Structures are given as structure tokens and as C-alpha cells.
Amino acid sequence: MTISSRGAATIEEVAAVAGVSRSTVSRVVNGSTAVSAEAREAVQEAIARLNYVPNRAARSLASSVTLAIALVVPEDTTRFFGDPFFAAIVSGINSVIRDSDYVLNLLIASDDAGEKMTSYVRGGNVDGAIIVSHHTSDTFIDRIAAAVPVVYGGRPVRERPNDYYIDVDNRAGAADATAHLIAKGRRNIATITGPLTMPAGVDRLDGFHDAMNDAGLTPVGTADGNFTANGGATAMREILDTGVRPDAIFVASDLMARGAMSVLQSSGLRVPEDVAIVGFDDSPVATGVVPQLTTMRQPSFSQGRAMAATLLQILGGEEPTHATIMSTELIDRDSA
Amino acid sequence: MTISSRGAATIEEVAAVAGVSRSTVSRVVNGSTAVSAEAREAVQEAIARLNYVPNRAARSLASSVTLAIALVVPEDTTRFFGDPFFAAIVSGINSVIRDSDYVLNLLIASDDAGEKMTSYVRGGNVDGAIIVSHHTSDTFIDRIAAAVPVVYGGRPVRERPNDYYIDVDNRAGAADATAHLIAKGRRNIATITGPLTMPAGVDRLDGFHDAMNDAGLTPVGTADGNFTANGGATAMREILDTGVRPDAIFVASDLMARGAMSVLQSSGLRVPEDVAIVGFDDSPVATGVVPQLTTMRQPSFSQGRAMAATLLQILGGEEPTHATIMSTELIDRDSA
DNA sequence: ATGAAAGCGCTAACAC
DNA sequence: GTGTTAGCGCTTTCAT
């Protein structure tokens, strides 16, 4: 299945039909202003007639621009696809990319330690990269960032002055969530955290501590739920197994909260009567559990859009804001 | 950020360092056998020394091969990312693609009716496409299939003699699941289906009917759960609202089963005592619910691998099997 | 405003 | 077995 066998029109043929030179066709395709109205019209007509689509390989070769962006997923596939948070992020990214000339190359880190991924990016195959999550162990990220412009989802692990990233104020959000629990009269509060190898995990734990300290309270339990539903369930059991029974828990993601709630409920504990829960994300799972989850909303779709928009700006030669921090909002439902 | 500004080595430079011609370098890079051992070694050394990575645009232009594969997602992002079934599929696809020279271009249909997607594929930008799910309304798929080789995940909506697809025997699996319920002594059986605009939805419903007919039973309820957890919950409510109380339900996906179970349980019905449930997929959600779900296992990861392997074979000029049907297996847990 | 011409880095006949 | 040569389809000076 070669290109020519499908008989795709070339710029040369368009030029012939329009009665102009290749250069002129190229100019109108690329939106140059220096083209007469008649010429432009003739070219556009020829393009439509021949159903012309520029060959991106040729364009890339001639201009050293690939019009491709790497969507780097340094994440276990199950985690990535299992969390509605990422769904919203990618959806946002896609909504911006779709309206541009760029395409997304899906690069999943998986178990190859990023070797092939790195050489792909460094081999000049993409113009930039969007890195949707980031762990301390992801050392290959640095090599990617050294090769092409990068936008991170969330504060990068080792922040550098010139990094671009989109984040929410995780620390403030977590503090707000915890404060809500305290305001409800709860005093024996535990937390289920994300992985502490991720900035989001650390920041939300810090926010939890901020609010607890402000209230003069000491956490009655802390467990890592790995940002997954199963991890949240395991963490919940861990906390229960210590013998203390918290009357409230700040859970750093909705997915983990779902896991925790099912353990609570099958232990005969009522939510929120016995144990109040506040989650984080306000993803679809928040309204899919019973009782519906009180949670911190983060604008995931907008975050995705902002990530893509920022990268496009960089690639367009602009100088966007380096750190965009969006804010979170408490969504008060029934679990706390 | 141009390629040349990053000083990437070209084939010419490698040739110079190795003391051979470009052609010879090209031969060793592409694994031609017609190269002497010394030449091969010299070239490989030069490649390593210069950190040479072939420019894929140039290669593509010269050979009319893009080394890119479209991963077409004709699915609402939330559904796609929210279902662990797709996670396993994509994970399988990725595990094969990763070891090849191909990359995946992520094309999400979303709301543009596939217009840009179609012109992208028809524009000669990919060598083939993997279509991970398929609805009757996805008319743009035909135009994609007309342009490049395509492998479908699941029987395509309008099957043609030359289609390639990987599927499981949904009908037999659904029948087995239903037969299990019947064998447990249940007689008032309902089903929650996937969208009947999808072959998997239809086939599983057919299998359900097969088993019911074989046992001389009449379904006490049928509702569409849209292959989502929330949809499963809604469908469960619908069935309950009709006034009949089934003593068993075949639910055509684990995700829907989770939704259905939560409705059942918050209605005070016990699983499996009052209502037995068999799901479909054996995805991680099956073991994440209480009680753990009895379900039909389908080899999702293998399906993904087979999809990618089949496409690679086609692109390599081989003639793989057109329809690969994998079998399902009852995983007997606690919900039935 | 437009055209001519020179590549971009690579593959693939074709000759030797 | 290896080198020479002619493009692949496009962008981009540079003239005009």
C-alpha cells in the first residue's frame, strides 16, 4: 500500500491544474499572505478538485518539522486506563490537538525503561512531548526534555526554572478537603495517600498535614493507596487493622475512595455516619458510588487543554507561562 | 527546534566514518543480508559512535512507508478510558508495537464525525489502522478501511469477506454464563446488555437467548447498560422498577455488573443469595467488588497482541487469518 | 507576487 | 558485495 499506488495528488499536480508554480501552491497551503487573490482561489479550487492532502513526510523532511507530538505515559497501562482522571486529561489534550495540524504519538513507557521511547523522541520524530504523569523513578524523562520542548501534567519531580507544567493547587485542595472534615466535627482523621513518588501524592499529603496542624490535630493513620481502587481498599484495611477507627478519612483520589468505601461498608461501617470521606478529583466515580462522594473537583479536562495549548504555543515560538496552577473546589455531596 | 540544529547524524556521516557508501549503511540498517561482515561491523560501530537514528520522514518519503499505525478509538473518551477492558487491549497492542519499528498514532473520534481522522488516514500518513471498537453509527470506518489495511477489535458491524478481526466467541461465552446461572437452580433470569449498536452487545444477548431457549426459560427482563458502570446501575433500576424480581442476571460486562450490584445492594438485595450475577470480561473490577464476581474471562491482553500482530503481518506482506476467534472461560467466584 | 532551483535524508534500482 | 544515481514531495531562498 504505497502512497503513489493510491494515486494521491501531489503539489505538482495541483500546481498544474491551477496554472501556477509549486511555490505558489505551497504558499497558499501554508497560509502565506503574499499570494494574489486569483492565484489563491485557483489553487484552492484545484486542491478541492484533486482532493489534495499534503504529504507529511515530505513536508517534514523539507522543513524539519514533524507535526507530531508525543503523548508520554510513564504509567502502568492498567492505572492509566483505569482512572477517569486520565480520561479527562487526554480528552482535553485531544480536543486541542484535533484542531491543529499535529497528531499524537502514543508512547507508553511500560517495562522497557523508556529506552525505545527516548531514542524515538531524540531521533527527531516529534516536535514536542506531553508527559501526563511523573514519578521519581522516571529518569528517562530528563533525556526527553533535553531533546524537545516538554509540558508536564503536574509539577515535575525535579522542577527546573524553565519547565512548563499545568497543575492544580494540590496542597491547598487537600487542606480544604481536610478542613471540611474537621468542620464537620471529626477529630480522628486518617488519610489514604497517592504514591509518594509522585508530586501529586506528596502535595496532597502535605495539604492534609497543613489542615491537621492548623487544627491542632494528629493523624490517626496514613496509608499509601497507589491511586487505584484496589490500592485504596488495601490501604483502608491496613488502617482498620491497626485497631484505631478513624471517624473521617481524606482520600487523595476518588478511585481510592471507592475502594476504601467498599471495605468500610463490608466491615459494617456506615459512610458518613461512622466514617466520613472526602475524595479528590470529582471524576465520574464520585457520583457512581453510594453514598455519592464529597470530593475536591479539579478541572481535568481544562488541564488537558491547557497542556496541549501550552505546548502548541511553545512550538509556535511563543513564550507561555511556565507554571499554570489551577484551583480546586469542594463538591459537597453525601459522604462527608 | 529543528533536526539539524540538534546536530543529528545523517546516513552520509555514518557512511563517511565507516568508510563505506550510503547504500551499505542503508543495507545494514534495514537488515539486508548482502553485506560483508567487516562492512557491517564498521557501520554498526559508526552508528553507535555517532548515535545515529534514521530520519523517519526521509525514510518514509523514499519508501512510501510511514511506519505508523493509527489506533482508532471510535468511542467516547470516558468510556474508552474508564473500562479496564480497553486498558488490557491497548496494553496488548502496545506490547507488540513496541518491539517493532512502528509507532501508534492515537486518533480519538470524539465529536468531529471522523472527518479529520479520515483525511489523515487517507492522506497516506499511516500504513494501517487498528480499530478498537465499532458501532453501527461509525460510518467513517468504511472510508478508513478503503484506504489502508485495517484490523478490527471484535467482529465489524458489516462484515466483509476480506475483513481482519480478532474476537472472542461472545455468543458461546454468554450462553455458558447463562447456563451457569441455570445450573445453579435459577429460573427467573434477566440480562443487562451492552449497546445493541455493537456486535459484542448483540452477540452476547444472542448467547443469553440461546441458553434460555435451551432450558425452556423466558427472560424476566432485559435492559441496555451501555457497557458502563453507571449504565449498568440504571439498567438494574429499570429492571427492578418493572416489579419483577429476577433471581439471577447475566450482565454483559464486569463494569456494568459493578453498577448493577451496587443498586442491588442498596436495595437490600443480597448477592448471590437473592440475586445471582455473572459478568463478562474478568477485568480487575471483577475482584474489586464484594462479593467477587463470577464472570466469563476473555483474553483481552492476548486479543490486543493478536490485533497488532495481525496488522504487522499484513503490512509485512503475509496473509494472516481473517477471523481469529478466541474462547472464553467461566471464572467461578462468589456472585453466582 | 511569482517561478526556478536547490536541497531535506533516505531508499532502491542499476551497474559494476 | 558495493557504489552511483535518481528520485520521494515538499519548503525555501533567490531572482525576477
Side-chain angles (χ1 to χ4, degrees):
Chain A
M1 181 68 60
T2 65
I3 291 175
S4 53
S5 79
R6 286 215 324 290
T10 70
I11 198 173
E12 194 105 25
E13 293 161 6
V14 173
V17 169
V20 299
S21 71
R22 298 202 314 238
S23 313
T24 299
V25 176
S26 177
R27 287 190 187 97
V28 353
V29 167
N30 294 294
S32 163
T33 49
V35 180
S36 70
E38 311 94 80
R40 159 170 288 105
E41 211 162 304
V43 168
Q44 281 165 342
E45 201 171 306
I47 286 177
R49 182 129 68 86
L50 298 177
N51 207 350
Y52 169 71
V53 179
N55 178 304
R56 107 176 1 224
R59 196 200 281 232
S60 170
L61 184 56
S63 64
S64 292
V65 159
T66 65
L67 294 183
I69 290 172
L71 180 63
V72 177
V73 181
E75 203 60 83
D76 173 61
T77 339
T78 306
R79 164 106 71 87
F80 180 64
F81 283 90
D83 197 331
F85 166 71
F86 285 118
I89 292 281
V90 173
S91 190
I93 292 171
N94 183 57
S95 76
V96 169
I97 297 299
R98 192 185 55 220
D99 296 334
S100 75
D101 286 333
Y102 289 85
V103 294
L104 285 175
N105 283 180
L106 180 63
L107 303 183
I108 301 175
S110 60
D111 42 27
D112 79 342
E115 209 34 76
K116 197 196 162 200
M117 184 182 294
T118 307
S119 84
Y120 179 72
V121 172
R122 304 200 55 197
N125 295 300
V126 296
D127 295 333
I130 294 179
I131 297 173
V132 294
S133 77
H134 197 181
H135 306 253
T136 45
S137 57
D138 300 331
T139 49
F140 65 93
I141 298 290
D142 292 343
R143 282 176 289 151
I144 289 180
V148 297
V150 158
V151 173
Y152 297 89
R155 174 170 75 75
V157 168
R158 284 169 295 280
E159 191 177 342
R160 312 248 193 70
N162 289 323
D163 283 342
Y164 293 91
Y165 64 90
I166 311 295
D167 207 348
V168 294
D169 194 338
N170 285 303
R171 188 164 183 161
D176 289 350
T178 308
H180 178 75
L181 259 8
I182 296 169
K184 291 280 183 175
R186 310 290 168 144
R187 291 297 175 267
N188 300 309
I189 309 180
T191 185
I192 294 179
T193 72
L196 299 181
T197 55
M198 298 182 67
V202 173
D203 293 352
R204 290 176 198 172
L205 178 58
D206 287 347
F208 169 75
H209 283 146
D210 289 348
M212 293 294 278
N213 288 338
D214 281 359
L217 259 27
T218 307
V220 301
T222 300
D224 181 345
N226 195 38
F227 277 152
T228 65
N230 286 343
T234 306
M236 190 67 253
R237 274 185 225 104
E238 266 176 48
I239 291 175
L240 256 22
D241 285 351
T242 63
V244 304
R245 215 207 65 200
D247 59 12
I249 310 177
F250 164 60
V251 187
S253 86
D254 288 354
L255 214 47
M256 296 194 294
R258 191 181 72 216
M261 279 172 67
S262 77
V263 167
L264 246 19
Q265 288 164 340
S266 60
S267 306
L269 293 168
R270 293 164 307 165
V271 176
E273 294 82 350
D274 301 321
V275 184
I277 303 259
V278 177
F280 204 106
D281 284 342
D282 193 30
S283 75
V285 326
T287 51
V289 293
V290 184
Q292 295 201 346
L293 200 59
T294 293
T295 187
M296 298 304 301
R297 171 174 299 168
Q298 61 172 327
S300 320
F301 185 82
S302 303
Q303 287 169 260
R305 284 191 64 88
M307 289 168 64
T310 299
L311 185 54
L312 257 27
Q313 283 184 280
I314 299 172
L315 296 179
E318 300 171 50
E319 258 290 341
T321 319
H322 282 270
T324 301
I325 312 290
M326 302 185 163
S327 55
T328 58
E329 177 195 359
L330 181 80
I331 305 298
D332 198 354
R333 297 206 180 85
D334 310 323
S335 68
Chain B
M1 179 69 60
T2 65
I3 291 174
S4 55
S5 79
R6 286 214 326 287
T10 72
I11 200 174
E12 194 105 28
E13 293 163 6
V14 173
V17 170
V20 298
S21 73
R22 295 203 315 239
S23 313
T24 299
V25 175
S26 177
R27 288 188 187 99
V28 353
V29 167
N30 293 296
S32 161
T33 48
V35 180
S36 70
E38 311 93 81
R40 161 169 287 106
E41 210 162 306
V43 168
Q44 280 165 341
E45 200 170 309
I47 286 176
R49 182 131 67 87
L50 298 178
N51 208 348
Y52 169 71
V53 179
N55 179 305
R56 100 173 12 221
R59 197 199 284 229
S60 170
L61 184 55
S63 65
S64 291
V65 157
T66 65
L67 293 183
I69 291 172
L71 180 64
V72 177
V73 181
E75 203 59 85
D76 174 60
T77 339
T78 305
R79 164 108 71 89
F80 181 65
F81 283 90
D83 197 331
F85 167 71
F86 286 119
I89 291 282
V90 173
S91 189
I93 292 171
N94 183 57
S95 76
V96 169
I97 297 301
R98 190 186 55 218
D99 295 335
S100 75
D101 286 333
Y102 289 84
V103 293
L104 286 175
N105 283 180
L106 181 63
L107 303 183
I108 301 175
S110 59
D111 42 25
D112 79 343
E115 211 32 76
K116 199 199 161 197
M117 183 182 296
T118 306
S119 86
Y120 179 73
V121 172
R122 304 199 56 198
N125 294 302
V126 295
D127 296 331
I130 294 179
I131 296 173
V132 294
S133 76
H134 196 182
H135 306 253
T136 46
S137 57
D138 299 331
T139 49
F140 65 93
I141 298 290
D142 291 343
R143 281 176 290 150
I144 289 180
V148 296
V150 157
V151 173
Y152 297 89
R155 176 169 73 77
V157 167
R158 285 170 295 279
E159 191 177 343
R160 313 247 192 70
N162 289 321
D163 282 344
Y164 292 92
Y165 64 91
I166 312 295
D167 207 348
V168 293
D169 194 338
N170 285 303
R171 187 161 184 165
D176 289 350
T178 308
H180 178 75
L181 257 9
I182 297 170
K184 290 278 184 178
R186 310 291 169 143
R187 292 295 175 268
N188 300 310
I189 310 181
T191 184
I192 294 179
T193 73
L196 299 181
T197 55
M198 299 182 66
V202 173
D203 294 351
R204 290 177 198 170
L205 178 57
D206 287 347
F208 169 75
H209 284 145
D210 289 347
M212 293 293 278
N213 288 339
D214 281 359
L217 260 28
T218 306
V220 301
T222 301
D224 182 344
N226 195 37
F227 278 153
T228 65
N230 286 344
T234 306
M236 189 67 253
R237 272 185 227 105
E238 268 176 46
I239 291 176
L240 256 21
D241 285 352
T242 63
V244 306
R245 213 207 69 201
D247 59 12
I249 309 176
F250 165 58
V251 187
S253 86
D254 288 354
L255 214 47
M256 295 194 295
R258 190 181 73 217
M261 280 172 66
S262 77
V263 168
L264 248 16
Q265 288 164 341
S266 61
S267 306
L269 293 167
R270 293 163 309 162
V271 176
E273 294 82 354
D274 300 321
V275 184
I277 303 259
V278 176
F280 204 107
D281 284 342
D282 193 30
S283 75
V285 324
T287 51
V289 292
V290 184
Q292 295 202 344
L293 200 58
T294 292
T295 188
M296 297 306 299
R297 170 174 299 167
Q298 63 171 325
S300 322
F301 184 83
S302 303
Q303 286 169 259
R305 284 190 64 89
M307 291 167 65
T310 299
L311 185 54
L312 257 28
Q313 283 184 278
I314 300 171
L315 296 179
E318 301 171 49
E319 257 291 341
T321 320
H322 281 271
T324 300
I325 312 291
M326 302 185 164
S327 55
T328 58
E329 178 196 357
L330 180 80
I331 304 297
D332 197 355
R333 298 205 180 85
D334 309 324
S335 67

